[in-house]
Amino acid sequence: MDFLSNIFQNITPGKSKNIHLKEAGTLPNFISNDDKYKISSLTLSGEINGTDLRLLRDMAGYNYLGVHTNGTLHELDMTDVRIVKGGDSYVQMHVSSYYVEADDEIPERIFRKCYALKKVKLPKSIKVIQPHAFERCKNLRTIEIPEGVERLGARSFRLCESLKSIKFPSTLKDIEGEAFEDIYGLSKIISLAKEPPKLSFDTFFNDDYDNIKLSVPQGSSQKYKRGHYWAKFKKMQEA
């Protein structure tokens, strides 16, 4: 029995998989079409590009053509992944095709409407999360934004209605418009940034400013209270 056949026979519905890619674009060599909808938990390491991300979207319930799938990928750990430019388009909308055009970024619309996702650990190498990246991931409950991320794009987590809490890294500088719009269940925000990240007036539009608990670094609360739009949060405390 060859190596790949052994991998495929050992994939069962709901089973966790751990895959290291030595070369970007090779994830389809490790996950067959018959098995891609049977994996609920996946840990990846190595380099990935648009070809790999196209498959991950399919496994997470919404393929690159915008069609719902039977994907059951609930947990995705990409901590030790590096996203590199290149590969196939990962989204096609009308006449537009989306490609990974920069290294070390979560690209635009990459997991938009991937309803199967519940928990995601992002690569520790990323610096930016581009617009619409996780928009309408309605079952996403946990997202870990790593140290080093400086910007969250517009609508990046809009309508992630199951998201209860979010933790911002100390490196975060800018959270663009509507990034967390319409997340009515959001109850806790932890910001590790001593200097308040820049917000737009609608970054948290329609969220419950009166009841969301905002935790900020020691000695930073006055800066947040003077910062544009952070002052809307009534339950602010230092930690």
Side-chain angles (χ1 to χ4, degrees):
M1 182 181 296
D2 64 30
F3 177 66
L4 290 180
S5 295
N6 184 58
I7 290 176
F8 297 152
Q9 286 201 358
N10 284 312
I11 293 177
T12 56
K15 186 173 181 179
S16 300
K17 294 299 297 180
N18 190 322
I19 298 175
H20 175 72
L21 299 181
K22 293 183 178 180
E23 181 181 353
T26 59
L27 184 61
N29 296 340
F30 292 90
I31 300 175
S32 73
N33 283 332
D34 290 337
D35 294 315
K36 65 183 177 180
Y37 297 148
K38 300 176 182 179
I39 300 172
S40 62
S41 179
L42 177 63
T43 299
L44 283 180
S45 58
E47 293 190 346
I48 66 173
N49 62 19
T51 301
D52 309 302
L53 290 168
R54 177 190 286 201
L55 176 56
L56 290 176
R57 281 184 55 88
D58 197 357
M59 295 170 64
Y62 202 66
N63 70 18
Y64 80 106
L65 294 174
V67 177
H68 291 288
T69 73
N70 293 321
T72 59
L73 183 60
H74 300 321
E75 297 187 7
L76 176 60
D77 186 344
M78 298 189 292
T79 303
D80 293 319
V81 160
R82 186 176 183 221
I83 298 175
V84 296
K85 62 183 178 181
D88 297 326
S89 64
Y90 58 85
V91 169
Q92 291 186 10
M93 294 181 58
H94 309 297
V95 296
S96 299
S97 297
Y98 291 79
Y99 295 86
V100 180
E101 298 180 346
D103 298 339
D104 302 323
E105 293 184 355
I106 299 297
E108 183 174 356
R109 297 178 185 269
I110 181 54
F111 290 114
R112 185 175 183 270
K113 290 188 177 182
C114 287
Y115 297 153
L117 288 178
K118 295 181 180 179
K119 181 178 181 180
V120 177
K121 293 183 179 180
L122 298 178
K124 59 188 177 185
S125 58
I126 63 169
K127 306 299 181 187
V128 174
I129 298 177
Q130 293 289 5
H132 306 277
F134 291 90
E135 184 178 22
R136 292 181 180 270
C137 287
K138 65 179 183 180
N139 292 309
L140 185 65
R141 300 172 184 171
T142 304
I143 183 78
E144 296 188 18
I145 300 175
E147 286 292 320
V149 172
E150 298 179 353
R151 177 167 59 86
L152 302 181
R155 296 191 172 192
S156 47
F157 294 92
R158 178 177 176 266
L159 287 165
C160 290
E161 57 192 54
S162 297
L163 197 62
K164 304 300 182 185
S165 64
I166 189 74
K167 186 176 182 178
F168 297 139
S170 65
T171 51
L172 189 61
K173 298 178 180 178
D174 190 8
I175 309 175
E176 295 181 349
E178 301 179 26
F180 294 92
E181 181 184 22
D182 292 339
I183 306 180
Y184 298 103
L186 188 64
S187 61
K188 185 176 182 180
I189 298 171
I190 299 173
S191 178
L192 301 180
K194 293 182 179 179
E195 295 295 327
K198 179 182 176 182
L199 300 184
S200 297
F201 78 95
D202 55 358
T203 295
F204 294 96
F205 192 65
N206 284 338
D207 298 341
D208 191 351
Y209 293 101
D210 290 338
N211 292 311
I212 295 174
K213 296 179 180 179
L214 173 62
S215 175
V216 301
Q218 288 286 343
S220 298
S221 59
Q222 291 306 311
K223 292 181 179 180
Y224 276 82
K225 289 176 181 178
R226 291 194 299 266
H228 289 302
Y229 310 116
W230 285 110
K232 291 183 177 182
F233 292 95
K234 306 304 181 185
K235 294 185 177 181
M236 185 185 304
Q237 64 181 14
E238 296 184 353

